[in-house]
Amino acid sequence: MIKYEDILKKIKYYEDRKAKNDEKLAQLNEENLTLTSTLKLLNQKKEVLEKMESELSDLIPSKKKDVAK
């Protein structure tokens, strides 16, 4: 036969577990937002660097082109 105290213990256990899971979920969501924003910034920087490289290659002829002349 199941005791009332046993039921209360189980309920308390699952409530504590839910609270810990909620805290962990909030922490992971925050980390995810941080990582997402960092990734966006890195992608923007990569695009800027690629654009600069392209513009520089247009301005400065490469050594391979000079050798072919």
Side-chain angles (χ1 to χ4, degrees), residues 22-64:
D22 288 344
E23 289 174 13
K24 183 71 172 178
L25 183 60
Q27 177 187 2
L28 291 173
N29 280 335
E30 187 175 322
E31 287 177 17
N32 187 32
L33 289 173
T34 302
L35 290 172
T36 301
S37 63
T38 302
L39 181 60
K40 285 180 183 179
L41 285 172
L42 289 173
N43 279 331
Q44 288 174 350
K45 288 181 180 183
K46 178 184 171 194
E47 289 174 3
V48 168
L49 289 173
E50 287 174 347
K51 183 177 178 185
M52 288 173 56
E53 181 182 15
S54 172
E55 290 173 354
L56 281 173
S57 68
D58 290 345
L59 294 174
I60 302 171
S62 69
K63 291 182 180 181
K64 291 180 182 176

Side-chain angles (χ1 to χ4, degrees), residues 7-22:
I7 293 172
L8 290 179
K9 285 180 186 177
K10 282 240 182 208
I11 290 172
K12 177 69 175 151
Y13 168 77
Y14 286 119
E15 286 175 343
D16 291 344
R17 194 164 144 189
K18 182 185 181 305
K20 286 180 185 177
N21 285 341
D22 288 344

